[in-house]
Amino acid sequence: MNTNLVCIQSRPKYRWSPRQHFVRTDPGPGRYISFTCAPRRGLSLAASRGRRGVKRVSSGGTRDLDSPIVDDSSIQKDRDAWRVFSVNARLILRMFFRKIPFIGKRQIFVGILNILLVFLIRKLLNVVSVGQIELFYLYYQPLVPFLMMLWGWGINVLYFEKTGLRYDMCFEERDRSYLLHSVEILKMCNTLSCGLLSSASLFLMFTASGMLRAAALQPVLLYMVTLLVLVMPFPIFYRDTRRYFATTFWRVLTPVRSVAWGDFLLADILTSLAKGLSDIERAICSMVSGPILSGTPEQCTDASWIIPIGLVMPYFWRFIQCIRVYIDTGNKQQLWNALKYMTAFPVVFLSFAKYHVAHDSWVSLWKPLWLLAACVNSGFSYFWDIERDWEISFFSQIGSHKRLHARTILPQPTNFSRRTYYYLMISNLMLRLSWTYKLSPHLRRDHLIVFCIVLLEAFRRFQWIFIRIEVELRKLQKLQPELGVLVPSRGNARKQHVSITSPKVLPG
């Protein structure tokens, strides 16, 4: 930076001055105070408090900035103006990004590249044919929900760190050292997003330009590199955390041992990503069964038995986990929880029956059964989310006869406001009923609608994690007071009890 700059004294830290200059004080010894005036040769740089806090020290003494600076060279003026603009723009970006912990020069570059790749993919989708768009969704849609769930977990951890929730106490003591900080998770998400978007854009570019061999290679490389990143033994890219994730995933796949809290959390998240798991199964089946760009083979379509198996497996894992917890603890609530996951089985297999029965039989018999099973599953799951996972005693108090002094639904201070809980309850119900889009055939065949529904389910799980971990921490705090305060009270929890009350009971 040019040392012949005019500096302005202002308030501490960053702000916009009344003169619309971006200024900073408390710069430390040997640093500049601000960068608001164009350079002028023959002047040394200093700043001192004076009238309106703006003065300049030159080789001939101190002069107030109100006296005009005249530069006879138009070229020099342009250079000076550009220098002032570039310095101010750099400071504005620094102020904007300094509250985002994972932002650095490399991450800013990767983030800008991701944004450009998204726009490029959007443009290319308008160029390629309908069949090529089908292939794009076939191979690249399955990985997006998992990546979005990882972004969501990074935001969850960032919130827990900022608010002081000791979420790591939910995990086993031996597992806590493997948990990443939010900065590391968000950096990893940024990098993985760049890899996915780069592969997708190359696939569309090669497809649009007729380079079919190069296009067919992109999804294969993407899936192979993704698997390699998860299992490679080298001490790079958070090896210990990757090993812990792989071990936890194996424990979920083989639920024959005691269930740790991390096993339960991962299995519950996988139930929200069941459609993504099924789509990955379909994509790999298409790669293995024939030419990659020939479309979905018959054995990989919705009529194939491998699709419902992929959809139902996450629910089966959770069902076995609940049975195992009941055997270990004798908690009968786990039997009801297991029943909740069993209600997903009829929904999946009745939907699969559509492709193997006559149309008249489907409309008259199987479709009504499917609708009934879907409603039962959604209602039971929503009830369990509110009453058990979040411990919001809403339904259990509907029949309460205490009209004058209804019990509070949340009997302790919470980490969120009352409106937040209302929002979460309503949005959870709406997202639980997102399966109703299947009732409209034209929506069911729309790849963009299906893609958005899958992302909304990942978003619902992202919201669910906030309250579920808060509830688990309160249980630990009650059972083990020596752990200290695990859920610090916030501004929205100043009262001893949250003012969410049960619905009014009308006189009979």
Coordinates of all heavy atoms in Angstrom, one line a residue, residues 438-494:
K438 N -46.9 -37.1 -4.4 CA -47.0 -38.2 -5.2 C -48.4 -38.5 -5.7 O -48.6 -39.3 -6.7 CB -46.5 -39.5 -4.4 CG -45.1 -39.4 -4.1 CD -44.7 -40.7 -3.3 CE -43.2 -40.7 -2.9 NZ -42.8 -41.9 -2.2
L439 N -49.4 -37.8 -5.1 CA -50.8 -38.0 -5.5 C -51.0 -37.3 -6.9 O -52.0 -37.6 -7.6 CB -51.7 -37.4 -4.5 CG -51.6 -38.0 -3.1 CD1 -52.6 -37.3 -2.2 CD2 -51.9 -39.5 -3.2
S440 N -50.1 -36.4 -7.3 CA -50.3 -35.8 -8.6 C -49.3 -36.4 -9.6 O -48.0 -36.2 -9.4 CB -50.0 -34.2 -8.4 OG -50.1 -33.6 -9.7
P441 N -49.7 -37.0 -10.6 CA -48.8 -37.7 -11.5 C -47.8 -36.8 -12.2 O -46.6 -37.2 -12.3 CB -49.7 -38.4 -12.5 CG -51.0 -38.5 -11.8 CD -51.1 -37.3 -10.9
H442 N -48.2 -35.6 -12.6 CA -47.3 -34.7 -13.3 C -46.2 -34.2 -12.3 O -45.1 -33.9 -12.8 CB -48.1 -33.6 -13.9 CG -48.6 -32.5 -13.0 ND1 -49.8 -32.7 -12.3 CD2 -48.2 -31.3 -12.6 CE1 -50.0 -31.7 -11.5 NE2 -49.1 -30.8 -11.7
L443 N -46.5 -34.1 -11.0 CA -45.5 -33.6 -10.1 C -44.5 -34.8 -9.8 O -43.3 -34.6 -9.6 CB -46.2 -33.1 -8.8 CG -47.0 -31.9 -8.9 CD1 -47.5 -31.5 -7.5 CD2 -46.1 -30.7 -9.4
R444 N -45.1 -36.0 -9.7 CA -44.2 -37.1 -9.4 C -43.2 -37.4 -10.5 O -42.1 -37.9 -10.2 CB -45.1 -38.4 -9.3 CG -44.4 -39.6 -8.8 CD -45.4 -40.7 -8.4 NE -44.7 -41.8 -7.8 CZ -45.3 -42.7 -7.1 NH1 -46.7 -42.7 -6.9 NH2 -44.7 -43.7 -6.5
R445 N -43.5 -37.0 -11.8 CA -42.5 -37.2 -12.9 C -41.6 -36.0 -13.1 O -40.7 -36.0 -13.9 CB -43.3 -37.4 -14.2 CG -44.0 -38.8 -14.2 CD -44.5 -39.1 -15.6 NE -45.6 -38.2 -16.0 CZ -46.9 -38.4 -15.8 NH1 -47.3 -39.6 -15.2 NH2 -47.7 -37.6 -16.2
D446 N -41.8 -34.9 -12.3 CA -41.0 -33.7 -12.4 C -39.8 -33.9 -11.6 O -39.8 -33.9 -10.3 CB -41.8 -32.5 -12.0 CG -41.1 -31.2 -12.4 OD1 -39.9 -31.1 -12.3 OD2 -41.8 -30.2 -12.8
H447 N -38.6 -33.9 -12.2 CA -37.3 -34.2 -11.5 C -37.1 -33.0 -10.5 O -36.5 -33.3 -9.4 CB -36.2 -34.3 -12.4 CG -36.2 -35.6 -13.2 ND1 -36.0 -36.8 -12.7 CD2 -36.5 -35.8 -14.5 CE1 -36.1 -37.8 -13.6 NE2 -36.4 -37.2 -14.7
L448 N -37.4 -31.8 -10.9 CA -37.1 -30.7 -10.0 C -37.9 -30.7 -8.8 O -37.4 -30.4 -7.7 CB -37.3 -29.4 -10.8 CG -36.9 -28.1 -10.0 CD1 -35.4 -28.1 -9.6 CD2 -37.2 -26.8 -10.9
I449 N -39.2 -31.1 -8.9 CA -40.1 -31.2 -7.7 C -39.6 -32.3 -6.8 O -39.5 -32.1 -5.6 CB -41.5 -31.5 -8.2 CG1 -42.1 -30.3 -9.0 CG2 -42.4 -31.7 -7.0 CD1 -42.2 -29.0 -8.2
V450 N -39.3 -33.4 -7.3 CA -38.8 -34.5 -6.5 C -37.5 -34.1 -5.8 O -37.3 -34.4 -4.6 CB -38.5 -35.8 -7.4 CG1 -37.9 -36.9 -6.5 CG2 -39.9 -36.2 -8.0
F451 N -36.6 -33.4 -6.5 CA -35.3 -33.0 -5.9 C -35.6 -32.0 -4.8 O -34.9 -32.1 -3.7 CB -34.5 -32.3 -7.0 CG -33.2 -31.7 -6.6 CD1 -32.2 -32.6 -6.1 CD2 -33.0 -30.4 -6.6 CE1 -31.0 -32.0 -5.7 CE2 -31.8 -29.8 -6.2 CZ -30.8 -30.7 -5.7
C452 N -36.5 -31.1 -4.9 CA -36.8 -30.1 -3.9 C -37.4 -30.8 -2.7 O -37.1 -30.5 -1.5 CB -37.8 -29.0 -4.4 SG -37.0 -27.9 -5.6
I453 N -38.3 -31.8 -2.9 CA -38.9 -32.6 -1.8 C -37.8 -33.3 -1.0 O -37.8 -33.3 0.3 CB -39.9 -33.6 -2.3 CG1 -41.1 -32.8 -2.9 CG2 -40.4 -34.5 -1.2 CD1 -41.9 -32.0 -2.0
V454 N -36.8 -33.9 -1.7 CA -35.7 -34.6 -1.0 C -34.9 -33.6 -0.1 O -34.6 -33.9 1.0 CB -34.8 -35.3 -2.0 CG1 -33.6 -35.9 -1.3 CG2 -35.6 -36.4 -2.7
L455 N -34.7 -32.4 -0.7 CA -33.9 -31.4 0.1 C -34.7 -30.9 1.3 O -34.2 -30.6 2.3 CB -33.5 -30.2 -0.8 CG -32.5 -30.5 -1.9 CD1 -32.1 -29.3 -2.7 CD2 -31.3 -31.2 -1.4
L456 N -36.1 -30.8 1.1 CA -36.9 -30.3 2.2 C -36.9 -31.3 3.4 O -36.9 -30.9 4.5 CB -38.3 -30.1 1.7 CG -38.6 -28.8 0.9 CD1 -40.0 -28.8 0.4 CD2 -38.3 -27.6 1.7
E457 N -36.8 -32.6 3.1 CA -36.7 -33.6 4.1 C -35.4 -33.5 4.9 O -35.3 -33.6 6.1 CB -36.9 -35.0 3.5 CG -36.7 -36.1 4.5 CD -37.6 -36.1 5.7 OE1 -38.7 -35.4 5.6 OE2 -37.2 -36.6 6.8
A458 N -34.3 -33.2 4.1 CA -33.0 -33.0 4.8 C -33.1 -31.7 5.6 O -32.5 -31.7 6.7 CB -31.9 -32.8 3.7
F459 N -33.8 -30.7 5.2 CA -34.0 -29.5 6.0 C -34.8 -29.7 7.2 O -34.5 -29.2 8.3 CB -34.6 -28.4 5.1 CG -34.9 -27.1 5.8 CD1 -33.9 -26.2 6.2 CD2 -36.2 -26.8 6.2 CE1 -34.1 -25.1 6.8 CE2 -36.4 -25.6 6.9 CZ -35.4 -24.7 7.2
R460 N -35.8 -30.6 7.1 CA -36.6 -30.9 8.3 C -35.7 -31.6 9.4 O -35.8 -31.3 10.6 CB -37.8 -31.9 7.9 CG -38.7 -32.2 9.1 CD -39.6 -33.3 8.7 NE -38.9 -34.6 8.7 CZ -38.5 -35.3 9.7 NH1 -38.8 -34.9 10.9 NH2 -37.8 -36.4 9.6
R461 N -34.9 -32.5 8.9 CA -34.0 -33.2 9.9 C -33.0 -32.2 10.5 O -32.6 -32.3 11.6 CB -33.2 -34.3 9.1 CG -32.3 -35.2 10.0 CD -33.1 -35.8 11.1 NE -34.1 -36.8 10.6 CZ -34.9 -37.5 11.4 NH1 -34.8 -37.4 12.7 NH2 -35.7 -38.4 10.9
F462 N -32.5 -31.3 9.7 CA -31.6 -30.2 10.2 C -32.2 -29.4 11.3 O -31.6 -29.2 12.3 CB -31.2 -29.3 9.0 CG -30.8 -27.9 9.4 CD1 -29.5 -27.7 9.9 CD2 -31.6 -26.8 9.2 CE1 -29.1 -26.5 10.3 CE2 -31.2 -25.6 9.5 CZ -29.9 -25.4 10.1
Q463 N -33.5 -29.1 11.1 CA -34.2 -28.4 12.2 C -34.4 -29.3 13.4 O -34.3 -28.8 14.6 CB -35.6 -27.9 11.7 CG -35.5 -26.8 10.6 CD -36.9 -26.4 10.3 OE1 -37.1 -25.2 10.1 NE2 -37.9 -27.2 10.2
W464 N -34.7 -30.5 13.2 CA -35.0 -31.5 14.3 C -33.8 -31.6 15.2 O -34.0 -31.8 16.4 CB -35.4 -32.8 13.6 CG -35.6 -34.0 14.5 CD1 -36.8 -34.4 15.1 CD2 -34.6 -35.0 14.9 NE1 -36.6 -35.5 15.8 CE2 -35.3 -35.9 15.8 CE3 -33.3 -35.1 14.7 CZ2 -34.6 -37.0 16.3 CZ3 -32.6 -36.2 15.2 CH2 -33.3 -37.1 16.0
I465 N -32.6 -31.6 14.6 CA -31.4 -31.8 15.4 C -31.2 -30.7 16.5 O -30.8 -31.1 17.6 CB -30.2 -31.8 14.5 CG1 -30.2 -33.0 13.6 CG2 -28.9 -31.7 15.3 CD1 -29.1 -33.1 12.6
F466 N -31.6 -29.5 16.2 CA -31.5 -28.4 17.3 C -32.2 -28.8 18.6 O -31.6 -28.8 19.6 CB -32.0 -27.1 16.7 CG -31.1 -26.4 15.7 CD1 -31.5 -26.3 14.4 CD2 -29.9 -25.9 16.1 CE1 -30.7 -25.7 13.5 CE2 -29.1 -25.2 15.2 CZ -29.5 -25.2 13.9
I467 N -33.5 -29.2 18.4 CA -34.2 -29.5 19.6 C -33.9 -30.8 20.2 O -33.9 -31.0 21.5 CB -35.7 -29.4 19.3 CG1 -36.1 -28.1 18.5 CG2 -36.6 -29.4 20.6 CD1 -35.7 -26.9 19.2
R468 N -33.6 -31.8 19.4 CA -33.3 -33.1 19.9 C -32.0 -33.1 20.7 O -32.0 -33.8 21.8 CB -33.1 -34.1 18.7 CG -32.9 -35.5 19.1 CD -34.1 -36.1 19.8 NE -33.9 -37.4 20.4 CZ -33.4 -37.7 21.6 NH1 -33.0 -36.7 22.4 NH2 -33.3 -38.9 22.0
I469 N -31.0 -32.4 20.3 CA -29.8 -32.3 21.1 C -30.0 -31.5 22.4 O -29.5 -31.8 23.5 CB -28.6 -31.7 20.3 CG1 -28.2 -32.8 19.3 CG2 -27.5 -31.3 21.1 CD1 -27.0 -32.4 18.4
E470 N -30.8 -30.5 22.3 CA -31.1 -29.7 23.5 C -31.8 -30.6 24.5 O -31.5 -30.5 25.7 CB -32.0 -28.5 23.2 CG -32.4 -27.7 24.4 CD -33.5 -26.7 24.0 OE1 -33.9 -26.5 22.9 OE2 -34.0 -26.0 25.0
V471 N -32.8 -31.4 24.1 CA -33.5 -32.3 25.0 C -32.6 -33.3 25.6 O -32.6 -33.6 26.8 CB -34.7 -33.0 24.3 CG1 -35.3 -34.1 25.1 CG2 -35.7 -31.9 23.9
E472 N -31.7 -33.9 24.8 CA -30.7 -34.9 25.3 C -29.8 -34.3 26.3 O -29.5 -34.9 27.4 CB -29.9 -35.5 24.1 CG -29.0 -36.6 24.5 CD -29.8 -37.9 24.9 OE1 -31.0 -38.0 24.6 OE2 -29.3 -38.7 25.6
L473 N -29.4 -33.0 26.1 CA -28.5 -32.4 27.1 C -29.2 -32.1 28.4 O -28.6 -32.2 29.5 CB -27.9 -31.1 26.5 CG -26.9 -31.2 25.4 CD1 -26.5 -29.9 24.8 CD2 -25.7 -32.0 25.9
R474 N -30.5 -31.8 28.3 CA -31.2 -31.5 29.6 C -31.4 -32.8 30.4 O -31.4 -32.8 31.6 CB -32.6 -30.9 29.3 CG -32.5 -29.5 28.7 CD -33.8 -28.8 28.7 NE -33.7 -27.5 28.1 CZ -33.1 -26.4 28.7 NH1 -32.7 -26.5 29.9 NH2 -33.1 -25.3 28.0
K475 N -31.5 -33.9 29.7 CA -31.6 -35.2 30.4 C -30.3 -35.5 31.1 O -30.3 -36.0 32.2 CB -31.9 -36.3 29.4 CG -33.3 -36.3 28.8 CD -33.5 -37.4 27.8 CE -34.9 -37.4 27.2 NZ -35.1 -38.5 26.2
L476 N -29.2 -35.3 30.4 CA -27.9 -35.5 31.0 C -27.6 -34.6 32.2 O -27.1 -35.0 33.2 CB -26.8 -35.3 29.9 CG -26.7 -36.4 28.8 CD1 -25.6 -36.0 27.8 CD2 -26.3 -37.7 29.5
Q477 N -28.1 -33.4 32.0 CA -27.9 -32.4 33.1 C -28.7 -32.8 34.3 O -28.2 -32.5 35.5 CB -28.3 -31.0 32.6 CG -27.9 -29.8 33.5 CD -28.1 -28.5 32.8 OE1 -27.4 -28.1 31.9 NE2 -29.2 -27.8 33.1
K478 N -29.8 -33.4 34.1 CA -30.7 -33.8 35.2 C -30.1 -35.1 35.9 O -30.1 -35.2 37.1 CB -32.1 -34.0 34.8 CG -33.1 -34.4 35.9 CD -34.5 -34.5 35.3 CE -35.5 -34.9 36.4 NZ -36.8 -35.1 35.9
L479 N -29.6 -36.0 35.1 CA -29.1 -37.2 35.6 C -27.7 -37.1 36.2 O -27.3 -37.7 37.2 CB -29.0 -38.3 34.5 CG -30.4 -38.8 34.0 CD1 -30.2 -39.7 32.8 CD2 -31.2 -39.4 35.1
Q480 N -26.9 -36.1 35.7 CA -25.5 -36.0 36.2 C -25.3 -34.5 36.4 O -24.7 -33.8 35.6 CB -24.5 -36.5 35.1 CG -24.7 -37.9 34.7 CD -23.7 -38.4 33.7 OE1 -22.6 -38.0 33.7 NE2 -24.2 -39.3 32.9
P481 N -25.7 -34.0 37.5 CA -25.5 -32.5 37.8 C -24.1 -32.1 37.9 O -23.8 -30.9 37.7 CB -26.2 -32.3 39.2 CG -27.1 -33.5 39.3 CD -26.4 -34.6 38.6
E482 N -23.2 -33.1 38.1 CA -21.8 -32.7 38.2 C -21.2 -32.3 36.9 O -20.1 -31.7 36.9 CB -20.9 -33.9 38.8 CG -20.9 -35.1 37.8 CD -22.1 -36.0 38.0 OE1 -23.0 -35.6 38.8 OE2 -22.1 -37.1 37.5
L483 N -21.9 -32.5 35.8 CA -21.4 -32.1 34.5 C -21.5 -30.5 34.3 O -20.9 -30.0 33.4 CB -22.2 -32.7 33.4 CG -22.0 -34.3 33.3 CD1 -22.9 -34.8 32.2 CD2 -20.6 -34.6 33.0
G484 N -22.3 -29.9 35.2 CA -22.4 -28.4 35.1 C -23.6 -28.1 34.1 O -24.4 -28.9 33.8
V485 N -23.6 -26.8 33.7 CA -24.6 -26.3 32.8 C -24.3 -26.7 31.4 O -23.3 -26.2 30.8 CB -24.7 -24.8 32.9 CG1 -25.8 -24.2 32.0 CG2 -25.0 -24.3 34.4
L486 N -25.1 -27.6 30.8 CA -24.9 -28.0 29.5 C -25.7 -27.2 28.5 O -25.4 -27.1 27.3 CB -25.3 -29.5 29.3 CG -24.6 -30.5 30.2 CD1 -25.1 -31.9 30.0 CD2 -23.1 -30.4 30.0
V487 N -26.8 -26.6 28.9 CA -27.7 -25.8 28.0 C -27.9 -24.4 28.7 O -28.8 -24.3 29.6 CB -29.1 -26.4 27.8 CG1 -29.9 -25.6 26.8 CG2 -28.9 -27.9 27.3
P488 N -27.0 -23.5 28.4 CA -27.2 -22.1 29.1 C -28.4 -21.5 28.7 O -28.9 -21.6 27.5 CB -25.9 -21.4 28.6 CG -25.5 -22.0 27.3 CD -25.9 -23.5 27.5
S489 N -29.0 -20.7 29.6 CA -30.3 -20.0 29.3 C -30.0 -18.8 28.4 O -28.9 -18.2 28.5 CB -30.9 -19.5 30.6 OG -31.3 -20.6 31.4
R490 N -30.9 -18.5 27.5 CA -30.7 -17.4 26.6 C -31.7 -16.3 26.9 O -32.5 -16.4 27.8 CB -31.0 -17.9 25.2 CG -29.9 -18.8 24.7 CD -28.6 -18.1 24.6 NE -27.4 -19.0 24.8 CZ -26.2 -18.5 25.0 NH1 -25.9 -17.3 25.0 NH2 -25.2 -19.4 25.3
G491 N -31.7 -15.2 26.1 CA -32.5 -14.1 26.4 C -34.0 -14.4 26.3 O -34.8 -13.8 26.9
N492 N -34.3 -15.4 25.5 CA -35.7 -15.8 25.3 C -36.2 -16.7 26.4 O -37.3 -17.2 26.4 CB -35.9 -16.5 24.0 CG -35.7 -15.6 22.8 OD1 -36.0 -14.4 22.9 ND2 -35.0 -16.1 21.7
A493 N -35.3 -17.1 27.3 CA -35.7 -18.0 28.4 C -35.5 -17.3 29.8 O -34.9 -17.9 30.7 CB -35.0 -19.3 28.3
R494 N -35.8 -16.1 29.9 CA -35.6 -15.4 31.2 C -36.5 -15.9 32.3 O -36.2 -15.8 33.5 CB -35.8 -13.9 30.9 CG -34.7 -13.2 30.1 CD -34.9 -11.7 30.1 NE -36.1 -11.3 29.5 CZ -36.2 -11.0 28.2 NH1 -35.1 -11.1 27.4 NH2 -37.3 -10.7 27.6

